[in-house]
mmCIF file of all heavy atoms in Angstrom:
data_model
loop_
_atom_site.group_PDB
_atom_site.id
_atom_site.type_symbol
_atom_site.label_atom_id
_atom_site.label_comp_id
_atom_site.label_asym_id
_atom_site.label_seq_id
_atom_site.Cartn_x
_atom_site.Cartn_y
_atom_site.Cartn_z
ATOM 1 N N SER A 31 -81.432 15.128 -7.669
ATOM 2 C CA SER A 31 -81.421 15.748 -9.062
ATOM 3 C C SER A 31 -80.297 15.190 -9.880
ATOM 4 O O SER A 31 -79.377 14.569 -9.363
ATOM 5 C CB SER A 31 -81.285 17.275 -8.924
ATOM 6 O OG SER A 31 -80.131 17.527 -8.187
ATOM 7 N N VAL A 32 -80.479 15.345 -11.134
ATOM 8 C CA VAL A 32 -79.440 14.845 -12.051
ATOM 9 C C VAL A 32 -78.938 16.010 -12.923
ATOM 10 O O VAL A 32 -79.771 16.748 -13.564
ATOM 11 C CB VAL A 32 -79.995 13.723 -13.007
ATOM 12 C CG1 VAL A 32 -78.916 13.207 -13.919
ATOM 13 C CG2 VAL A 32 -80.592 12.610 -12.219
ATOM 14 N N ARG A 33 -77.664 16.256 -12.924
ATOM 15 C CA ARG A 33 -77.047 17.282 -13.701
ATOM 16 C C ARG A 33 -76.786 16.878 -15.112
ATOM 17 O O ARG A 33 -76.655 15.704 -15.389
ATOM 18 C CB ARG A 33 -75.678 17.698 -13.131
ATOM 19 C CG ARG A 33 -75.768 18.728 -11.961
ATOM 20 C CD ARG A 33 -74.394 19.047 -11.413
ATOM 21 N NE ARG A 33 -73.785 17.932 -10.690
ATOM 22 C CZ ARG A 33 -72.796 17.172 -11.074
ATOM 23 N NH1 ARG A 33 -72.200 17.401 -12.251
ATOM 24 N NH2 ARG A 33 -72.343 16.175 -10.311
ATOM 25 N N ARG A 34 -76.802 17.793 -16.059
ATOM 26 C CA ARG A 34 -76.487 17.495 -17.433
ATOM 27 C C ARG A 34 -75.118 16.896 -17.536
ATOM 28 O O ARG A 34 -74.151 17.385 -16.902
ATOM 29 C CB ARG A 34 -76.579 18.782 -18.240
ATOM 30 C CG ARG A 34 -76.988 18.605 -19.685
ATOM 31 C CD ARG A 34 -77.282 19.893 -20.405
ATOM 32 N NE ARG A 34 -78.655 20.421 -20.076
ATOM 33 C CZ ARG A 34 -79.762 19.936 -20.713
ATOM 34 N NH1 ARG A 34 -79.660 19.011 -21.584
ATOM 35 N NH2 ARG A 34 -80.881 20.463 -20.363
ATOM 36 N N GLY A 35 -75.011 15.781 -18.277
ATOM 37 C CA GLY A 35 -73.713 15.159 -18.458
ATOM 38 C C GLY A 35 -73.330 14.176 -17.336
ATOM 39 O O GLY A 35 -72.340 13.503 -17.435
ATOM 40 N N GLU A 36 -74.233 14.092 -16.329
ATOM 41 C CA GLU A 36 -73.918 13.230 -15.199
ATOM 42 C C GLU A 36 -74.366 11.775 -15.419
ATOM 43 O O GLU A 36 -75.395 11.586 -16.110
ATOM 44 C CB GLU A 36 -74.592 13.797 -13.963
ATOM 45 C CG GLU A 36 -74.296 13.089 -12.640
ATOM 46 C CD GLU A 36 -75.068 13.656 -11.444
ATOM 47 O OE1 GLU A 36 -76.107 14.259 -11.687
ATOM 48 O OE2 GLU A 36 -74.608 13.426 -10.333
ATOM 49 N N THR A 37 -73.653 10.814 -14.792
ATOM 50 C CA THR A 37 -74.186 9.470 -14.732
ATOM 51 C C THR A 37 -74.474 9.163 -13.297
ATOM 52 O O THR A 37 -73.531 9.204 -12.430
ATOM 53 C CB THR A 37 -73.129 8.471 -15.258
ATOM 54 O OG1 THR A 37 -72.876 8.719 -16.646
ATOM 55 C CG2 THR A 37 -73.646 7.089 -15.058
ATOM 56 N N LYS A 38 -75.739 8.951 -12.995
ATOM 57 C CA LYS A 38 -76.121 8.652 -11.603
ATOM 58 C C LYS A 38 -76.591 7.194 -11.578
ATOM 59 O O LYS A 38 -77.336 6.775 -12.418
ATOM 60 C CB LYS A 38 -77.214 9.584 -11.173
ATOM 61 C CG LYS A 38 -77.444 9.523 -9.679
ATOM 62 C CD LYS A 38 -78.085 10.906 -9.180
ATOM 63 C CE LYS A 38 -76.954 11.908 -9.061
ATOM 64 N NZ LYS A 38 -77.437 13.138 -8.356
ATOM 65 N N VAL A 39 -76.084 6.465 -10.562
ATOM 66 C CA VAL A 39 -76.454 5.035 -10.460
ATOM 67 C C VAL A 39 -77.273 4.815 -9.177
ATOM 68 O O VAL A 39 -76.942 5.350 -8.178
ATOM 69 C CB VAL A 39 -75.184 4.191 -10.501
ATOM 70 C CG1 VAL A 39 -75.524 2.766 -10.050
ATOM 71 C CG2 VAL A 39 -74.547 4.152 -11.858
ATOM 72 N N ILE A 40 -78.335 4.039 -9.423
ATOM 73 C CA ILE A 40 -79.158 3.672 -8.247
ATOM 74 C C ILE A 40 -78.989 2.238 -7.998
ATOM 75 O O ILE A 40 -79.204 1.397 -8.888
ATOM 76 C CB ILE A 40 -80.660 4.030 -8.517
ATOM 77 C CG1 ILE A 40 -80.846 5.526 -8.785
ATOM 78 C CG2 ILE A 40 -81.486 3.543 -7.346
ATOM 79 C CD1 ILE A 40 -82.221 5.913 -9.184
ATOM 80 N N ILE A 41 -78.605 1.855 -6.746
ATOM 81 C CA ILE A 41 -78.542 0.438 -6.424
ATOM 82 C C ILE A 41 -79.473 0.182 -5.212
ATOM 83 O O ILE A 41 -80.000 1.138 -4.651
ATOM 84 C CB ILE A 41 -77.097 -0.004 -6.030
ATOM 85 C CG1 ILE A 41 -76.634 0.835 -4.841
ATOM 86 C CG2 ILE A 41 -76.140 0.105 -7.216
ATOM 87 C CD1 ILE A 41 -75.333 0.330 -4.249
ATOM 88 N N GLY A 42 -79.688 -1.059 -4.934
ATOM 89 C CA GLY A 42 -80.615 -1.385 -3.856
ATOM 90 C C GLY A 42 -81.335 -2.734 -4.062
ATOM 91 O O GLY A 42 -81.385 -3.151 -5.222
ATOM 92 N N PRO A 43 -81.837 -3.329 -3.003
ATOM 93 C CA PRO A 43 -82.510 -4.625 -3.132
ATOM 94 C C PRO A 43 -83.775 -4.487 -3.976
ATOM 95 O O PRO A 43 -84.346 -3.409 -4.114
ATOM 96 C CB PRO A 43 -82.831 -4.974 -1.685
ATOM 97 C CG PRO A 43 -82.758 -3.744 -0.916
ATOM 98 C CD PRO A 43 -81.773 -2.796 -1.586
ATOM 99 N N SER A 44 -84.178 -5.598 -4.571
ATOM 100 C CA SER A 44 -85.399 -5.548 -5.323
ATOM 101 C C SER A 44 -86.555 -5.244 -4.435
ATOM 102 O O SER A 44 -86.645 -5.575 -3.308
ATOM 103 C CB SER A 44 -85.622 -6.883 -6.102
ATOM 104 O OG SER A 44 -85.298 -7.931 -5.298
ATOM 105 N N GLY A 45 -87.594 -4.501 -4.987
ATOM 106 C CA GLY A 45 -88.668 -4.067 -4.198
ATOM 107 C C GLY A 45 -88.455 -2.770 -3.417
ATOM 108 O O GLY A 45 -89.249 -2.354 -2.709
ATOM 109 N N ALA A 46 -87.254 -2.232 -3.661
ATOM 110 C CA ALA A 46 -86.912 -0.954 -2.952
ATOM 111 C C ALA A 46 -87.532 0.248 -3.633
ATOM 112 O O ALA A 46 -87.459 1.355 -3.129
ATOM 113 C CB ALA A 46 -85.472 -0.749 -2.864
ATOM 114 N N GLY A 47 -88.145 0.087 -4.862
ATOM 115 C CA GLY A 47 -88.805 1.211 -5.538
ATOM 116 C C GLY A 47 -87.993 1.811 -6.670
ATOM 117 O O GLY A 47 -88.412 2.805 -7.179
ATOM 118 N N LYS A 48 -86.909 1.125 -6.987
ATOM 119 C CA LYS A 48 -86.023 1.737 -8.050
ATOM 120 C C LYS A 48 -86.688 1.786 -9.389
ATOM 121 O O LYS A 48 -86.662 2.828 -10.038
ATOM 122 C CB LYS A 48 -84.707 0.903 -8.141
ATOM 123 C CG LYS A 48 -84.050 0.612 -6.845
ATOM 124 C CD LYS A 48 -82.764 -0.206 -6.990
ATOM 125 C CE LYS A 48 -82.899 -1.540 -7.683
ATOM 126 N NZ LYS A 48 -83.503 -2.609 -6.918
ATOM 127 N N SER A 49 -87.250 0.671 -9.824
ATOM 128 C CA SER A 49 -87.945 0.691 -11.145
ATOM 129 C C SER A 49 -89.085 1.582 -11.116
ATOM 130 O O SER A 49 -89.371 2.337 -12.076
ATOM 131 C CB SER A 49 -88.396 -0.748 -11.493
ATOM 132 O OG SER A 49 -87.308 -1.531 -11.747
#
Side-chain angles (χ1 to χ4, degrees):
Chain A
S31 57
V32 182
R33 275 179 289 110
R34 210 169 278 281
E36 184 184 22
T37 296
K38 191 154 281 188
V39 166
I40 300 174
I41 58 170
S44 39
K48 311 180 301 286
S49 290

